[in-house]
Amino acid sequence: MLTLMLAWVSLIPSILLSPTKYLWAVTTTQSFTLAFLSIPWIFLQNFNLFNSTFLVDKTSAPLMILTCWLFPLTILASQSKLINEPINRQRTYIVNCSILQLSTLLAFAAADLLTFFIFFEASLIPTLFMITRWGAQERRLTAGYSFSLYTLIGAIPLLIWTLKLYEKYGTLYLPTMNLLPQTLTPGSYELLFWATCNLAFLIKLPLFTFHLWLPQAHVEAPIAGSMILAGTLLKLGGYGILRTSFLIQEPATNKALYILALATLGILATALLCLRQTDLKSLIAMSSVSHMNLIIVAVLTCSQWAFSGAMIMMIAHGLTSSTMFCLANTLYERTNTRTMIVLRGTLTMSPLAASWWLFTILLNMALPPTINFNSELLMMLAIYDWSILSFLLVALNLIATTAYTLYLLWSTQRGPFPKHINTTHPLYTREHVLLTLHILPTLLLILKPELIMM
Ligand SMILES: *[C@@H]1O[C@H](CO)[C@@H](O)[C@H](O)[C@H]1NC(C)=O
């Protein structure tokens, strides 16, 4: 852990000091080193590594590795867009990006609930910089406002709740809290109590009806922002819920029935909403919301299978949706549009990119041997066990998912040869490497999914 922290911290002077010509080479190399340094955590899983500051266990290690792994990829993805900007702006961009990833990493690694809270909220600031300074359109300011508004509304109850827990148990150290008698006795306002406690996490995930900030933020953010948002920031919410799941055991399902119903509805509604999107990035964002709501439903049923499924889903979705944003970005960089109807027919221009699209979309749809499928299966089984009605509703989602997957493929790839965009360059090697590094872990994990089970 210390090695890694040193590596992260040393990244900042090297970004600020490295000569202009080598800025991207140096930062990319260094961030890849960092990603590889984080890999050993995967072998630490049955041996809990914790001290008073850090906690690396089955719940946090996969997400921490994901964070470290995505960092070089975000650097790789933003290169071509930023290379034309003034050098100082490039440097602040990378510094902001690394601070964002670092605070996410520290939130995952924190052994203390309050430290977790601090870094959870700290990630807001660099994200806000990314969206408002490097976003493409004027509306980025609105997106920034609503993003911070939603996050801060969630923060207050979470802080109060954390302090209450401290008052009650006298500790916020997570390994100790796991051992405490698991009773939350909030009196007769159980649902309200539970909901306000977890509001911050539910907003971050986001729960349907609290999701409005997400498509906006995704659409306005630069590519690295989108990748980090989809890849790790949303997972902070999921991690928060999983981490505090020892508090929401058995009776939670009844306490949170309304939330469960809302999330079940949300899975379906957002999947159907995907069919109505015209903007490529906002479609991908909506499909993330659908997946994240499935996690909420599953986690609230409080079974071990659901927890494992949710964990796998977070990793699988982090990699897959980040890939989709990269693909959307390759189109955006070439054509300067995200409107799907304008992008029709790109298959005829670059078939290789189209095969990447097909592959990624199939992963997102959870095609059988992939870990996405694994996770959905585990969660669906847990939901089936809990209630057949809810299972049927969730199963309907499969139809909607297939529908929007086909819609995405049809409306961006198929169609007549696009005469207005016939001067684009096929995918660069850098982009192929980027996509491969996203997909490769997903494929490797098929062989041993228990590595990321909780
Ligand atoms: C992040 O970006 C903002 C906006 O450009 C900049 O003012 C700030 O200095 C950056 N942060 C760091 C730590 O460089």
Side-chain angles (χ1 to χ4, degrees):
M1 192 73 209
L2 196 62
T3 327
L4 207 79
M5 284 301 141
L6 282 179
W8 273 101
V9 172
S10 69
L11 194 63
I12 291 170
S14 75
I15 295 167
L16 295 177
L17 298 178
S18 63
T20 314
K21 199 172 148 199
Y22 298 115
L23 175 64
W24 289 96
V26 168
T27 43
T28 315
T29 324
Q30 206 165 358
S31 51
F32 268 114
T33 321
L34 214 152
F36 285 113
L37 280 179
S38 75
I39 302 286
W41 278 334
I42 209 136
F43 304 110
L44 273 183
Q45 292 206 343
N46 293 324
F47 157 69
N48 285 352
L49 172 84
F50 62 83
N51 56 25
S52 56
T53 333
F54 300 122
L55 169 65
V56 184
D57 67 358
K58 285 195 137 182
T59 323
S60 57
L63 289 165
M64 287 160 74
I65 298 172
L66 180 71
T67 315
C68 292
W69 185 253
L70 280 182
F71 177 61
L73 303 185
T74 55
I75 302 274
L76 213 55
S78 358
Q79 261 178 37
S80 66
K81 197 78 182 170
L82 278 176
I83 208 95
N84 303 320
E85 300 206 354
I87 185 73
N88 281 337
R89 224 167 120 78
Q90 293 182 26
R91 289 188 208 272
T92 43
Y93 179 85
I94 311 179
V95 172
N96 267 326
C97 191
S98 51
I99 289 180
L100 173 55
Q101 287 291 64
L102 184 61
S103 58
T104 322
L105 181 72
L106 286 175
F108 287 136
D112 191 287
L113 215 50
L114 199 61
T115 323
F116 170 68
F117 172 77
I118 291 170
F119 286 111
F120 181 81
E121 297 300 329
S123 63
L124 169 71
I125 299 164
T127 321
L128 210 55
F129 277 137
M130 299 275 272
I131 294 176
T132 52
R133 282 301 293 270
W134 283 276
Q137 305 163 44
E138 223 174 296
R139 263 187 303 169
R140 62 183 188 266
L141 293 179
T142 328
Y145 282 141
S146 60
F147 176 56
S148 41
L149 188 72
Y150 272 94
T151 312
L152 292 178
I153 285 180
I156 302 159
L158 183 62
L159 182 61
I160 297 174
W161 179 61
T162 314
L163 296 180
K164 263 217 121 46
L165 280 181
Y166 183 69
E167 192 187 305
K168 186 163 176 204
Y169 293 135
T171 177
L172 285 176
Y173 184 51
L174 285 163
T176 325
M177 286 178 81
N178 268 323
L179 305 174
L180 290 171
Q182 287 134 0
T183 44
L184 269 185
T185 40
S188 54
Y189 300 104
E190 281 178 336
L191 171 71
L192 202 62
F193 182 79
W194 192 90
T196 45
C197 292
N198 285 288
L199 193 63
F201 302 143
L202 292 179
I203 287 178
K204 203 70 163 200
L205 254 174
L207 177 66
F208 181 63
T209 67
F210 290 115
H211 69 285
L212 292 177
W213 61 271
L214 185 73
Q216 282 184 27
H218 268 308
V219 168
E220 302 303 327
I223 171 65
S226 299
M227 284 169 68
I228 298 175
L229 257 177
T232 50
L233 280 189
L234 302 189
K235 276 66 193 177
L236 273 179
Y239 173 73
I241 291 186
L242 284 182
R243 194 40 109 192
T244 52
S245 63
F246 62 87
L247 290 170
I248 53 162
Q249 278 184 355
E250 215 46 75
T253 309
N254 299 327
K255 269 188 240 169
L257 206 56
Y258 297 111
I259 294 179
L260 238 160
L262 197 61
T264 317
L265 185 72
I267 300 173
L268 256 175
T270 40
L272 289 174
L273 274 176
C274 282
L275 288 169
R276 303 274 305 159
Q277 302 295 321
T278 51
D279 185 311
L280 188 53
K281 267 185 152 180
S282 108
L283 192 153
I284 304 173
M286 275 294 179
S287 97
S288 312
V289 181
S290 175
H291 283 103
M292 292 297 114
N293 274 290
L294 182 56
I295 291 186
I296 298 180
V297 176
V299 168
L300 289 188
T301 60
C302 290
S303 70
Q304 192 54 47
W305 277 10
F307 288 156
S308 299
M311 198 66 215
I312 302 180
M313 171 70 107
M314 287 206 267
I315 304 296
H317 176 265
L319 289 166
T320 318
S321 75
S322 173
T323 323
M324 286 171 65
F325 278 115
C326 284
L327 278 167
N329 188 52
T330 59
L331 280 178
Y332 181 63
E333 277 175 3
R334 286 170 175 72
T335 58
N336 279 317
T337 179
R338 296 181 307 261
T339 311
M340 286 194 285
I341 203 79
V342 182
L343 295 172
R344 286 184 71 204
T346 39
L347 170 81
T348 45
M349 273 177 4
S350 78
L352 206 50
S355 48
W356 276 117
W357 266 111
L358 178 67
F359 196 68
T360 317
I361 284 175
L362 289 181
L363 281 181
N364 192 51
M365 201 177 95
L367 204 71
T370 59
I371 49 170
N372 306 55
F373 171 74
N374 256 344
S375 65
E376 281 198 13
L377 189 68
L378 280 174
M379 286 194 275
M380 297 277 262
L381 284 174
I383 293 170
Y384 179 80
D385 210 30
W386 177 66
S387 138
I388 293 185
L389 177 66
S390 146
F391 169 77
L392 285 178
L393 281 175
V394 174
L396 270 183
N397 170 51
L398 294 182
I399 300 172
T401 308
T402 319
Y404 78 70
T405 303
L406 287 179
Y407 168 60
L408 180 57
L409 194 67
W410 248 244
S411 56
T412 62
Q413 303 298 322
R414 306 303 301 255
F417 185 77
K419 293 207 180 57
H420 52 288
I421 37 175
N422 56 4
T423 51
T424 62
H425 197 282
L427 292 189
Y428 299 103
T429 317
R430 175 179 61 82
E431 284 156 348
H432 282 300
V433 171
L434 177 63
L435 297 170
T436 314
L437 287 178
H438 270 116
I439 298 293
L440 201 63
T442 334
L443 293 183
L444 288 180
L445 282 173
I446 294 176
L447 303 176
K448 204 166 165 53
E450 63 268 31
L451 278 181
I452 50 172
M453 272 187 191
M454 201 177 129

